[in-house]
Amino acid sequence: MSLPIRAGHIGKLECTSLLSIAGAANVFLSYPQQLVKYGSQASWMIPLFSTVIMLLIVFILRIVQPVLKNEDLLSISHRAAGKLITAVISSLAIVYFLLITSDELRQVSETVLTTMLTRSPISFVAIPLVMLICYFAHSGLEAISRTSWLVAPVLAILLVLLLIGMYNWVNVDYLQPWMGPGWSPLFIRGLLFTSAFPNVLVLIICAGSMRDQSHIAFAGLWSTVIIGVVYVVVELVCLTVFPAQLSVHLSFPVYQLARIINVGRFMERMDAIYIFLWVACAVTKMAVGLWASSYLTARMFGMPVYRPLIFSTAIVIYAIAFIPRSYPETLIWDATIFQRYGIVFTVGLPLLVLFFVLLKRGGKRREKKMHRTT
Amino acid sequence: MKRKCTALLSIPLMLALFCMTGCYDRIELEDQAFIVAMGFDKGPNHTIDVTVRLAVPSKLGGGAPGAGGGGGGGGEDLGLSGSKPITVRAHTITEAMNLVNTGVERRVSLVECKLIVFGQDLARDGVHDVLSGLSRFREFRQTTYLQLAKGKASEVMSTEKPVYEQTDVRFAEDVALIGRQTGFVPRSTIHDFLNNLAAAGEDPFVPILAVNKKVKQAADQDKAKDKGGGGGGQGSPSAGGMSNEKSSAQENQPKLLAANPKYDAGQVVRLGGNPVEFIGTAIFRGDRLVATLDGVQTRMLLALRGELERIQLEITSPFDKTKYTGVEITRIARPKISYELNRNPIRIHVHLDMEGNLYGDQAGTDYTNPANVRVLEQQVNTSMQSVQDKIISDVLNGCQADPFGLFRRARSQFATNAELENFSWRQKCKTAVVDVTNDFKMRRTGLILSPIQESNEDLQEPEINKTS
């Protein structure tokens, strides 16, 4: 079965890097601080729990993988659950991608404004970002994934250097008491933090474009592991450099890490390099969000192409991004909407679709069995 | 058609590039005045006196600041970084920055600020307001060094004349580096201070800067002599030929009055060098100054924290109480700390493992004899422990402050935050019993294995002594 809209072909490594970068983008923004708010010095365990939960979803995906025949979220749900359910699922997914992309746009713009371009108006930062993601999304998923694959090694090296640069500030005592607020708050927050792992949802949307369908589980597994490792390691380093009581007050903990790199007398003031790191990650995430919302809208309404929708969707994203009046209000939105209910989209939607596929597969098997017995 | 559309679209895009050649945040280098050091003193009526020193690179042409004037200064003593400090009175740091700009024609910037000095009075009242104000500034970095001025920060900043360095930036870095060498001053950055302030079970500390009145007086006398055409450098006698002039000049030379060396900030018995000396530690409880330690006590603070790298320690010889023995001490492991938190009062056991070399012995003891080595090791342990017990009693029990990091490591004894909060460590400080065990091992005796003995021949007294 081929998709009604062509979205190019994605290799397994390109797909893995795309999903990993898009998933880990928020680690450079306020998420480490948000994690500390809920988990104190044990907050590094929260993404660990989330990773385990997401790996279970990937495991289910691995089970249904053989049944998928070049299908995406909508074709699977349409085949398995009918037109109405598909409309509901796609509407939910579109709203989700619009909202997370708007949230990302606002947070990145505010971060750049607070840390680098302090005198510029916010539109001066946000408009070029929107133009850039429009270009990316217009180029298609294949282009975005290939670009991700190209920049992924650079981003990985920069991140590793940042963490190594902290060696003279690390104090492991700050991680104690090990259990922080206790097991149950950590686990509940770990469950909710799966909202920071949009990779499986994106994977199901772009599953039909995979060059080889047998690589879907590979991309899901490795992207989940990479996102989890990045969150856990960055959080661990943040907490050993800034104690939980301090990092909970930092607006951008990773930026603060970059600012205190101080090796000898000359290796300092490296933060400018790291602006590239998080803007590159954020642009990838926003481009995927814009592409996914345009693509799903086009598919839902049976349009043959999605590209004409990109600019109008981008305007909607830009408009939503400026609904919160301030950066603290943006963070409140993020904490109360995405971090609390994001699980419905990142875990609930993929589970629902995979459940339908499993049901359908079970039904077919029963039919075959009955046919054989008669 | 598609090509035409692309060409048409590219025209406005290319035109847009011309609008993006500059940006709102562009500030030319020559439009900025870089603050390299800031001092904060308590002012009247809830104000703060902010002293700033600006870097004026064009006036840093040549010559050490201590030598009086830079190359561009035309012989005028401009002080560190090529400028004299500027002090303004304000309610907040932002207000102070704006007021500094009423007398400085360029936009002041904190990008290059590397040193913050707190005045003693302000530190006693608490430095939280100043630090929280500074940490919000994007230009400000947490790697900035912190120091406490004994007295007023403005006085210290206007008096300091480093022997080598020409900028506050290098001066601050050097103080931190020399602290690792001598152990007389700890290293403290804003990052360290905020961490100690925020984390449970630890209190901040900063090095002390103080004006040594005797050195300053001598430097002022030299300066006055230079102005009066007396010639000569710092501390050098005048080059007159007459013997009576020479003797009067020698009489006017400042003298080292104290009988023994001192390790208190501002009291070190010395002549020459920077009138501002860096020795000792200011201890804070929360954000308030509660105690000060001298240089020797600072070494023991660092030893208890496991941050003492390598120091030379002078102790009374165990074999001759009138002589001194010098040992070089290095820590070989992180302090081992064990806790008995269920006891009342709580007990903390600290074990310090150190090793070192003999590098001087006035008593002429033969340390190739292992028995003598044991005695010396015991003497080092006892001498260190007496200082450690005193500072623990004064600071931990007396002031309920823990710069030693004893309770920071006790956090491992609790599983959750709730358990830690219920422990109320601050109250337990008052009665806590800390048993410190020093385990010093002398490994080497330097280039001389055993003491060089005098020959048995009768020494003739010098001829000059006989006649006189």
Side-chain angles (χ1 to χ4, degrees), chain B residues 7-47:
Chain B
L8 278 172
L9 195 66
S10 61
I11 293 169
L13 282 173
M14 283 169 73
L15 286 173
L17 288 175
F18 289 100
C19 310
M20 300 175 101
T21 49
C23 72
Y24 288 87
D25 291 84
R26 179 183 57 88
I27 307 167
E28 297 295 342
L29 198 63
E30 54 268 28
D31 294 340
Q32 296 184 72
F34 294 106
I35 292 175
V36 283
M38 291 177 91
F40 296 94
D41 286 306
K42 186 183 172 185
N45 204 15
H46 303 293
T47 56

Tab-separated table of all heavy atoms in Angstrom, chain B residues 7-47:
chain	number	residue	atom	x	y	z
B	7	ALA	N	12.737	33.345	-9.141
B	7	ALA	CA	13.516	34.570	-9.323
B	7	ALA	C	12.818	35.757	-8.662
B	7	ALA	O	13.457	36.574	-7.984
B	7	ALA	CB	13.711	34.826	-10.808
B	8	LEU	N	11.495	35.836	-8.853
B	8	LEU	CA	10.738	36.945	-8.262
B	8	LEU	C	10.783	36.898	-6.735
B	8	LEU	O	10.905	37.921	-6.061
B	8	LEU	CB	9.279	36.895	-8.743
B	8	LEU	CG	9.016	37.511	-10.112
B	8	LEU	CD1	7.589	37.231	-10.557
B	8	LEU	CD2	9.269	39.020	-10.090
B	9	LEU	N	10.698	35.680	-6.182
B	9	LEU	CA	10.707	35.514	-4.731
B	9	LEU	C	12.073	35.835	-4.137
B	9	LEU	O	12.196	36.361	-3.037
B	9	LEU	CB	10.321	34.069	-4.387
B	9	LEU	CG	9.933	33.805	-2.943
B	9	LEU	CD1	8.642	34.539	-2.598
B	9	LEU	CD2	9.745	32.314	-2.715
B	10	SER	N	13.099	35.524	-4.920
B	10	SER	CA	14.454	35.739	-4.386
B	10	SER	C	14.805	37.228	-4.276
B	10	SER	O	15.649	37.597	-3.464
B	10	SER	CB	15.477	35.017	-5.251
B	10	SER	OG	15.431	35.540	-6.545
B	11	ILE	N	14.145	38.096	-5.094
B	11	ILE	CA	14.468	39.538	-5.030
B	11	ILE	C	14.154	40.125	-3.643
B	11	ILE	O	15.037	40.698	-3.011
B	11	ILE	CB	13.748	40.317	-6.163
B	11	ILE	CG1	14.348	39.876	-7.511
B	11	ILE	CG2	13.897	41.827	-5.990
B	11	ILE	CD1	13.567	40.356	-8.728
B	12	PRO	N	12.914	39.963	-3.126
B	12	PRO	CA	12.673	40.516	-1.775
B	12	PRO	C	13.526	39.852	-0.706
B	12	PRO	O	13.937	40.515	0.247
B	12	PRO	CB	11.190	40.237	-1.526
B	12	PRO	CG	10.774	39.245	-2.526
B	12	PRO	CD	11.672	39.399	-3.691
B	13	LEU	N	13.827	38.566	-0.915
B	13	LEU	CA	14.672	37.889	0.088
B	13	LEU	C	16.071	38.476	0.109
B	13	LEU	O	16.656	38.701	1.164
B	13	LEU	CB	14.741	36.384	-0.196
B	13	LEU	CG	13.526	35.569	0.229
B	13	LEU	CD1	13.647	34.132	-0.249
B	13	LEU	CD2	13.351	35.598	1.744
B	14	MET	N	16.585	38.759	-1.094
B	14	MET	CA	17.924	39.352	-1.160
B	14	MET	C	17.925	40.766	-0.600
B	14	MET	O	18.880	41.183	0.052
B	14	MET	CB	18.434	39.339	-2.603
B	14	MET	CG	18.922	37.954	-3.035
B	14	MET	SD	19.217	37.839	-4.772
B	14	MET	CE	20.705	38.788	-4.924
B	15	LEU	N	16.843	41.487	-0.844
B	15	LEU	CA	16.743	42.842	-0.298
B	15	LEU	C	16.684	42.800	1.236
B	15	LEU	O	17.231	43.668	1.915
B	15	LEU	CB	15.501	43.556	-0.845
B	15	LEU	CG	15.609	44.021	-2.293
B	15	LEU	CD1	14.269	44.565	-2.777
B	15	LEU	CD2	16.689	45.097	-2.445
B	16	ALA	N	16.018	41.757	1.742
B	16	ALA	CA	15.898	41.618	3.198
B	16	ALA	C	17.255	41.455	3.862
B	16	ALA	O	17.460	41.849	4.998
B	16	ALA	CB	15.007	40.430	3.529
B	17	LEU	N	18.204	40.879	3.095
B	17	LEU	CA	19.547	40.690	3.650
B	17	LEU	C	20.187	42.022	4.051
B	17	LEU	O	20.927	42.097	5.021
B	17	LEU	CB	20.453	39.989	2.626
B	17	LEU	CG	20.174	38.509	2.385
B	17	LEU	CD1	21.064	37.984	1.272
B	17	LEU	CD2	20.421	37.709	3.654
B	18	PHE	N	19.875	43.075	3.264
B	18	PHE	CA	20.462	44.381	3.563
B	18	PHE	C	19.955	44.935	4.901
B	18	PHE	O	20.630	45.714	5.556
B	18	PHE	CB	20.167	45.370	2.433
B	18	PHE	CG	20.928	45.058	1.184
B	18	PHE	CD1	20.330	44.388	0.130
B	18	PHE	CD2	22.271	45.399	1.065
B	18	PHE	CE1	21.034	44.080	-1.016
B	18	PHE	CE2	22.991	45.088	-0.080
B	18	PHE	CZ	22.370	44.424	-1.138
B	19	CYS	N	18.729	44.517	5.257
B	19	CYS	CA	18.172	44.988	6.534
B	19	CYS	C	18.796	44.246	7.715
B	19	CYS	O	18.649	44.642	8.859
B	19	CYS	CB	16.669	44.769	6.586
B	19	CYS	SG	15.837	45.387	5.157
B	20	MET	N	19.452	43.125	7.413
B	20	MET	CA	19.944	42.296	8.507
B	20	MET	C	21.448	42.440	8.705
B	20	MET	O	22.091	41.606	9.338
B	20	MET	CB	19.582	40.828	8.255
B	20	MET	CG	18.105	40.619	8.159
B	20	MET	SD	17.692	38.950	7.715
B	20	MET	CE	17.251	38.289	9.285
B	21	THR	N	22.041	43.496	8.154
B	21	THR	CA	23.492	43.648	8.280
B	21	THR	C	23.893	44.006	9.705
B	21	THR	O	24.990	43.734	10.133
B	21	THR	CB	24.014	44.728	7.338
B	21	THR	OG1	23.194	45.880	7.523
B	21	THR	CG2	23.970	44.285	5.901
B	22	GLY	N	23.039	44.662	10.419
B	22	GLY	CA	23.322	44.976	11.814
B	22	GLY	C	22.215	44.396	12.645
B	22	GLY	O	21.288	43.814	12.134
B	23	CYS	N	22.319	44.519	13.944
B	23	CYS	CA	21.209	44.074	14.759
B	23	CYS	C	21.039	45.002	15.951
B	23	CYS	O	21.892	45.834	16.210
B	23	CYS	CB	21.380	42.621	15.174
B	23	CYS	SG	22.650	42.382	16.400
B	24	TYR	N	19.936	44.815	16.611
B	24	TYR	CA	19.600	45.707	17.716
B	24	TYR	C	20.635	45.658	18.835
B	24	TYR	O	20.807	46.605	19.563
B	24	TYR	CB	18.244	45.306	18.291
B	24	TYR	CG	17.081	45.634	17.403
B	24	TYR	CD1	16.666	44.754	16.422
B	24	TYR	CD2	16.407	46.837	17.568
B	24	TYR	CE1	15.589	45.047	15.609
B	24	TYR	CE2	15.322	47.138	16.755
B	24	TYR	CZ	14.913	46.242	15.775
B	24	TYR	OH	13.853	46.544	14.981
B	25	ASP	N	21.295	44.525	18.946
B	25	ASP	CA	22.200	44.342	20.079
B	25	ASP	C	23.638	44.737	19.789
B	25	ASP	O	24.517	44.472	20.580
B	25	ASP	CB	22.154	42.874	20.523
B	25	ASP	CG	20.840	42.548	21.146
B	25	ASP	OD1	19.892	42.243	20.400
B	25	ASP	OD2	20.721	42.638	22.365
B	26	ARG	N	23.849	45.344	18.642
B	26	ARG	CA	25.221	45.707	18.275
B	26	ARG	C	25.728	46.834	19.171
B	26	ARG	O	25.123	47.887	19.275
B	26	ARG	CB	25.258	46.147	16.816
B	26	ARG	CG	26.620	46.569	16.308
B	26	ARG	CD	26.492	47.036	14.877
B	26	ARG	NE	25.536	48.123	14.754
B	26	ARG	CZ	25.847	49.402	14.899
B	26	ARG	NH1	27.079	49.759	15.177
B	26	ARG	NH2	24.916	50.335	14.765
B	27	ILE	N	26.841	46.594	19.864
B	27	ILE	CA	27.505	47.659	20.624
B	27	ILE	C	28.981	47.583	20.277
B	27	ILE	O	29.610	46.532	20.441
B	27	ILE	CB	27.346	47.490	22.155
B	27	ILE	CG1	25.878	47.327	22.542
B	27	ILE	CG2	27.928	48.693	22.890
B	27	ILE	CD1	25.688	46.849	23.971
B	28	GLU	N	29.513	48.668	19.782
B	28	GLU	CA	30.921	48.659	19.383
B	28	GLU	C	31.810	48.584	20.620
B	28	GLU	O	31.458	49.078	21.685
B	28	GLU	CB	31.258	49.935	18.598
B	28	GLU	CG	30.506	50.081	17.285
B	28	GLU	CD	30.860	49.015	16.257
B	28	GLU	OE1	31.915	48.371	16.407
B	28	GLU	OE2	30.054	48.805	15.330
B	29	LEU	N	32.963	47.972	20.436
B	29	LEU	CA	33.910	47.814	21.544
B	29	LEU	C	34.306	49.165	22.134
B	29	LEU	O	34.401	49.349	23.349
B	29	LEU	CB	35.147	47.075	21.009
B	29	LEU	CG	36.057	46.425	22.036
B	29	LEU	CD1	35.320	45.337	22.778
B	29	LEU	CD2	37.291	45.875	21.360
B	30	GLU	N	34.503	50.146	21.232
B	30	GLU	CA	34.965	51.450	21.709
B	30	GLU	C	33.838	52.301	22.311
B	30	GLU	O	34.061	53.435	22.696
B	30	GLU	CB	35.708	52.224	20.602
B	30	GLU	CG	34.957	52.398	19.319
B	30	GLU	CD	35.268	51.273	18.331
B	30	GLU	OE1	35.597	50.159	18.758
B	30	GLU	OE2	35.138	51.506	17.141
B	31	ASP	N	32.628	51.724	22.346
B	31	ASP	CA	31.520	52.420	23.009
B	31	ASP	C	31.302	51.914	24.429
B	31	ASP	O	30.380	52.339	25.114
B	31	ASP	CB	30.211	52.211	22.223
B	31	ASP	CG	30.259	52.872	20.866
B	31	ASP	OD1	31.103	53.780	20.701
B	31	ASP	OD2	29.481	52.478	19.981
B	32	GLN	N	32.120	50.943	24.836
B	32	GLN	CA	31.878	50.321	26.139
B	32	GLN	C	32.983	50.624	27.144
B	32	GLN	O	34.147	50.783	26.766
B	32	GLN	CB	31.791	48.800	25.975
B	32	GLN	CG	30.627	48.368	25.122
B	32	GLN	CD	30.522	46.861	25.073
B	32	GLN	OE1	30.141	46.229	26.036
B	32	GLN	NE2	30.870	46.294	23.951
B	33	ALA	N	32.584	50.685	28.408
B	33	ALA	CA	33.549	50.818	29.504
B	33	ALA	C	33.444	49.532	30.318
B	33	ALA	O	32.368	49.239	30.861
B	33	ALA	CB	33.208	52.020	30.361
B	34	PHE	N	34.509	48.764	30.374
B	34	PHE	CA	34.441	47.457	31.020
B	34	PHE	C	34.802	47.544	32.503
B	34	PHE	O	35.907	47.967	32.834
B	34	PHE	CB	35.382	46.468	30.321
B	34	PHE	CG	34.955	46.162	28.921
B	34	PHE	CD1	35.635	46.683	27.832
B	34	PHE	CD2	33.848	45.351	28.686
B	34	PHE	CE1	35.235	46.405	26.543
B	34	PHE	CE2	33.443	45.061	27.399
B	34	PHE	CZ	34.128	45.597	26.325
B	35	ILE	N	33.852	47.126	33.309
B	35	ILE	CA	34.124	47.048	34.749
B	35	ILE	C	34.879	45.751	34.996
B	35	ILE	O	34.442	44.687	34.577
B	35	ILE	CB	32.812	47.068	35.548
B	35	ILE	CG1	32.138	48.428	35.419
B	35	ILE	CG2	33.055	46.728	37.014
B	35	ILE	CD1	30.785	48.519	36.064
B	36	VAL	N	36.021	45.832	35.669
B	36	VAL	CA	36.786	44.609	35.933
B	36	VAL	C	36.676	44.172	37.386
B	36	VAL	O	36.911	43.010	37.710
B	36	VAL	CB	38.270	44.768	35.525
B	36	VAL	CG1	38.431	44.669	34.038
B	36	VAL	CG2	38.853	46.044	36.056
B	37	ALA	N	36.347	45.113	38.262
B	37	ALA	CA	36.181	44.735	39.676
B	37	ALA	C	35.115	45.622	40.306
B	37	ALA	O	34.962	46.784	39.924
B	37	ALA	CB	37.494	44.900	40.422
B	38	MET	N	34.369	45.048	41.221
B	38	MET	CA	33.323	45.811	41.912
B	38	MET	C	33.462	45.592	43.407
B	38	MET	O	33.777	44.493	43.860
B	38	MET	CB	31.930	45.318	41.509
B	38	MET	CG	31.552	45.616	40.092
B	38	MET	SD	29.938	44.917	39.738
B	38	MET	CE	28.888	46.285	40.164
B	39	GLY	N	33.205	46.656	44.154
B	39	GLY	CA	33.212	46.535	45.610
B	39	GLY	C	31.882	47.018	46.153
B	39	GLY	O	31.266	47.931	45.580
B	40	PHE	N	31.420	46.380	47.203
B	40	PHE	CA	30.134	46.771	47.799
B	40	PHE	C	30.319	47.060	49.280
B	40	PHE	O	30.834	46.212	50.020
B	40	PHE	CB	29.107	45.642	47.629
B	40	PHE	CG	28.774	45.362	46.195
B	40	PHE	CD1	29.448	44.366	45.502
B	40	PHE	CD2	27.813	46.091	45.531
B	40	PHE	CE1	29.162	44.107	44.175
B	40	PHE	CE2	27.515	45.838	44.200
B	40	PHE	CZ	28.197	44.845	43.521
B	41	ASP	N	29.909	48.264	49.684
B	41	ASP	CA	29.958	48.642	51.098
B	41	ASP	C	28.570	49.045	51.555
B	41	ASP	O	27.726	49.452	50.737
B	41	ASP	CB	30.921	49.826	51.300
B	41	ASP	CG	32.363	49.390	51.182
B	41	ASP	OD1	32.737	48.446	51.896
B	41	ASP	OD2	33.105	49.993	50.378
B	42	LYS	N	28.369	48.942	52.856
B	42	LYS	CA	27.076	49.345	53.404
B	42	LYS	C	27.015	50.877	53.424
B	42	LYS	O	27.966	51.531	53.878
B	42	LYS	CB	26.966	48.795	54.829
B	42	LYS	CG	25.632	49.004	55.460
B	42	LYS	CD	25.674	48.485	56.888
B	42	LYS	CE	24.389	48.864	57.593
B	42	LYS	NZ	24.426	48.497	59.000
B	43	GLY	N	25.930	51.428	52.914
B	43	GLY	CA	25.745	52.873	52.953
B	43	GLY	C	24.690	53.227	53.990
B	43	GLY	O	24.064	52.328	54.566
B	44	PRO	N	24.465	54.508	54.228
B	44	PRO	CA	23.430	54.875	55.197
B	44	PRO	C	22.033	54.705	54.587
B	44	PRO	O	21.881	54.685	53.355
B	44	PRO	CB	23.736	56.344	55.472
B	44	PRO	CG	24.415	56.825	54.246
B	44	PRO	CD	25.153	55.658	53.672
B	45	ASN	N	21.045	54.571	55.440
B	45	ASN	CA	19.650	54.592	54.975
B	45	ASN	C	19.342	53.517	53.924
B	45	ASN	O	18.778	53.804	52.866
B	45	ASN	CB	19.369	56.005	54.406
B	45	ASN	CG	17.909	56.333	54.444
B	45	ASN	OD1	17.132	55.657	55.128
B	45	ASN	ND2	17.511	57.333	53.683
B	46	HIS	N	19.758	52.289	54.185
B	46	HIS	CA	19.510	51.136	53.301
B	46	HIS	C	20.092	51.310	51.893
B	46	HIS	O	19.509	50.864	50.906
B	46	HIS	CB	18.009	50.844	53.189
B	46	HIS	CG	17.359	50.601	54.499
B	46	HIS	ND1	17.630	49.503	55.271
B	46	HIS	CD2	16.468	51.348	55.202
B	46	HIS	CE1	16.930	49.568	56.381
B	46	HIS	NE2	16.224	50.685	56.381
B	47	THR	N	21.193	51.990	51.813
B	47	THR	CA	21.839	52.130	50.493
B	47	THR	C	23.109	51.277	50.459
B	47	THR	O	23.554	50.796	51.501
B	47	THR	CB	22.233	53.600	50.211
B	47	THR	OG1	23.075	54.046	51.280
B	47	THR	CG2	21.011	54.489	50.088
